[in-house]
Amino acid sequence: MKIAGLDIGTTGCKCTVFDEQGNYLGKAYRDYPVRRAVGSHEIDISVLMEGVCAVLREMTAVYPDIGGLGVTSFGETFVLTDEEGNPLHPAMLYTDPRGSEECQELTERLGAKEIARITGLRPHEMYSICKLMWMKKHRPDIYHEAGHIFLMEDYVVFHLTKKAQIDYSLAARTMAFDIHALDWSGRVLEAAGIDRDLFSACVPTGSAAGTILPEAVERTGLSAGTQIVTVSHDQVAAAVGAGAFDGSVAVDGAGTVECLTPIYDEMPDIDRMYEGYFSVVPYVVPGTYVAYAFSYTGGALIQWCVEKLAKGEQEQAGKQGIPVHELLEKTYLEQRADGPGDLLVLPHFAGAATPYMDTGSRGVILGLTTESTAADIYRGCMEGVAYEMYLNYRALAGSGVHFEKLNATGGGARSAVWMQMKADVLNLPITALETADAGTVGSAMLTGVAIGAFRDLKEAAEYMVEETVTYMPRPDMHERYMQVYERYRRIYEAVRPLV
């Protein structure tokens, strides 16, 4: 029997298959287009579902004995459907600019601090409830025809099982979920004017939804007895896949977006979390929570630097048969030696995430001279991401965090130079994990527990979470980085009025 994890992202989906001992077997991926216009950011949900079915067919053709499929997805994005689950409009992405006025209206009705106390979220137009209010106001014909409100996880689960259920962690991304009662908030929904009955039932992370429908068997190639599992928001799945289950360990998600995910063994200080726009999200272990401290540009900034500024280095790396990232890191160390560089990079190239949540902020490179090279800028970008995460780490102080180490996942975890830099900046040990894709591992772990392949997540982690190298902080380097950080932390306030 095989276990599969389905990870639904903003621009594509993938299905990863493991055997009953948790060994990776294979994966399939399909992308789909996102429509971004001046007034809207949307995705055709039918195309998304076609991508889901395509990756499942590809995997089931090779592994026909998949016994359990777990579904995880990105957050906030929603779609209204009829009673049968047929979409009534393109899904509104979390980046869609619509809903800002409605967010303000909801905040005026309940108060920002009260919304945060109930939902664990400081009000922001990215969350689903604000855009649902916009939909009801501007497209009442669609709203009043709707039989369901789905996010991506429960949309796919519904089409596979006809069971409308959503896990706590994804429901929390709507800003309509009560993190204390672990159910939809009557106060928020009443103030928003949104019908509670349209939402899926809230269930614990990793809850089985049932066996796959006969018509879904034909579309996906899954066998008739396959169990479908409602897993989680993708960041929660990544924390599970990183083997982080208590407050002693946090997760460094070194992917396109850089995300620091600490775990709280009890409810954190909501007022402190409010100040930094940090989410409070119910975690898989009852009574525990996670938060998301993130930068929109982690690996994305590194990739920008390579693609836009290092074309010659790409050609040179190709001739040497090594990755261009390795060449740039090696070149810098040969020319400048280890330690802080001469450039300061504010990594807000796609706006500022926590603790600012300022989409109008822009990236900055300070200290350029005619001697600056692509390797210098590359190093500066790496340092800028590390400093931004340290700034978030400092902003979380006093909220209840007490982690003593980080487990690192994502493509960035494969860079020994970047991992050592982060360990030095944060002054914490960082352990790189074997898998670059902790989300699919976490999804498979939760699925395996739900269908009885593993006794619990601890056993699943013994099979599926593999540590590689631990990078220890160097006190002398931490001291040197902190001298630079004192200048870095003032860049945002100095530059923001100018852009």
Side-chain angles (χ1 to χ4, degrees), residues 314-493:
Q314 289 184 66
E315 183 177 343
Q316 184 180 349
K319 292 179 180 178
Q320 295 183 23
I322 62 174
V324 65
H325 305 79
E326 182 180 328
L327 175 66
L328 288 165
E329 291 170 2
K330 179 182 177 182
T331 300
Y332 177 87
L333 292 175
E334 289 175 347
Q335 296 175 348
R336 312 291 188 194
D338 198 6
D342 297 328
L343 303 181
L344 286 173
V345 178
L346 186 69
H348 296 177
F349 284 53
T354 58
Y356 308 114
M357 293 307 291
D358 179 2
T359 55
S361 185
R362 293 292 179 265
V364 175
I365 303 176
L366 293 176
L368 288 168
T369 71
T370 55
E371 300 299 315
S372 298
T373 67
D376 292 327
I377 299 173
Y378 183 88
R379 175 77 180 205
C381 289
M382 294 172 74
E383 291 181 4
V385 172
Y387 289 137
E388 191 76 352
M389 296 320 293
Y390 185 72
L391 185 145
N392 274 278
Y393 176 48
R394 293 282 294 267
L396 285 165
S399 66
V401 289
H402 59 85
F403 57 89
E404 302 165 353
K405 64 169 290 191
L406 291 166
N407 283 353
T409 69
R414 301 195 185 282
S415 168
V417 171
W418 208 5
M419 289 297 98
Q420 185 62 60
M421 180 191 298
K422 290 178 180 179
D424 292 337
V425 171
L426 273 72
N427 203 28
L428 289 168
I430 299 183
T431 298
L433 303 182
E434 177 62 30
T435 177
D437 192 356
T440 55
V441 171
S443 180
M445 288 167 63
L446 286 159
T447 302
V449 172
I451 68 173
F454 304 119
R455 288 192 305 273
D456 51 32
L457 285 174
K458 183 178 180 181
E459 182 185 40
E462 291 174 357
Y463 284 102
M464 301 186 70
V465 179
E466 183 179 352
E467 298 182 353
T468 57
V469 182
T470 296
Y471 301 88
M472 301 302 296
R474 298 171 292 182
D476 58 327
M477 282 295 185
H478 177 68
E479 183 71 24
R480 291 175 61 187
Y481 278 119
M482 288 304 95
Q483 293 173 10
V484 179
Y485 172 76
E486 287 305 311
R487 290 186 287 129
Y488 172 86
R489 68 184 182 86
R490 297 196 293 269
I491 297 175
Y492 173 76
E493 290 184 0

Side-chain angles (χ1 to χ4, degrees), residues 103-376:
C103 183
Q104 183 61 35
E105 291 172 10
L106 184 60
T107 302
E108 290 173 356
R109 292 170 192 167
L110 286 177
K113 287 288 186 74
E114 183 63 9
I115 291 174
R117 188 198 67 78
I118 295 170
T119 68
L121 304 172
R122 182 165 174 170
H124 194 276
E125 59 265 25
M126 72 183 287
Y127 299 118
S128 319
I129 193 67
C130 308
K131 301 182 193 306
L132 283 163
M133 291 171 66
W134 183 95
M135 183 67 74
K136 183 178 180 181
K137 182 190 296 184
H138 296 277
R139 295 300 307 272
D141 53 326
I142 291 177
Y143 179 82
H144 292 297
E145 187 183 346
H148 297 278
I149 295 170
F150 288 123
L151 275 68
M152 300 303 98
E153 171 199 74
D154 50 327
Y155 176 84
V156 171
V157 169
F158 182 81
H159 279 268
L160 296 178
T161 66
K162 277 297 183 283
K163 189 78 170 288
Q165 65 178 40
I166 185 172
D167 93 287
Y168 298 156
S169 68
L170 190 62
R173 304 308 294 169
T174 63
M175 207 173 80
F177 180 79
D178 188 325
I179 60 172
H180 307 274
L182 299 178
D183 204 352
W184 300 114
S185 168
R187 289 193 63 201
V188 172
L189 292 175
E190 181 180 0
I194 302 299
D195 186 356
R196 177 177 183 153
D197 292 338
L198 294 175
F199 287 96
S200 300
C202 298
V203 297
T205 294
S207 293
T211 55
I212 191 167
L213 295 167
E215 55 266 35
V217 168
E218 295 182 13
R219 294 185 66 190
T220 63
L222 291 164
S223 61
T226 303
Q227 293 287 319
I228 307 301
V229 179
T230 295
V231 177
S232 67
H233 182 218
D234 52 12
Q235 293 294 348
V236 163
V240 172
F245 302 120
D246 62 51
S248 67
V249 183
V251 180
D252 171 33
T256 302
V257 171
E258 181 80 14
C259 187
L260 175 65
T261 306
I263 298 167
Y264 293 82
D265 297 322
E266 58 185 16
M267 181 69 72
D269 185 327
I270 296 294
D271 289 337
R272 185 75 181 198
M273 304 299 277
Y274 177 91
E275 293 173 10
Y277 286 92
F278 300 118
S279 308
V280 180
V281 182
Y283 194 41
V284 62
V285 179
T288 65
Y289 303 84
V290 295
Y292 306 140
F294 62 102
S295 171
Y296 290 126
T297 49
L301 180 58
I302 305 303
Q303 197 61 29
W304 167 84
C305 182
V306 168
E307 292 179 355
K308 302 297 184 181
L309 305 177
K311 296 187 184 300
E313 286 78 5
Q314 289 184 66
E315 183 177 343
Q316 184 180 349
K319 292 179 180 178
Q320 295 183 23
I322 62 174
V324 65
H325 305 79
E326 182 180 328
L327 175 66
L328 288 165
E329 291 170 2
K330 179 182 177 182
T331 300
Y332 177 87
L333 292 175
E334 289 175 347
Q335 296 175 348
R336 312 291 188 194
D338 198 6
D342 297 328
L343 303 181
L344 286 173
V345 178
L346 186 69
H348 296 177
F349 284 53
T354 58
Y356 308 114
M357 293 307 291
D358 179 2
T359 55
S361 185
R362 293 292 179 265
V364 175
I365 303 176
L366 293 176
L368 288 168
T369 71
T370 55
E371 300 299 315
S372 298
T373 67
D376 292 327

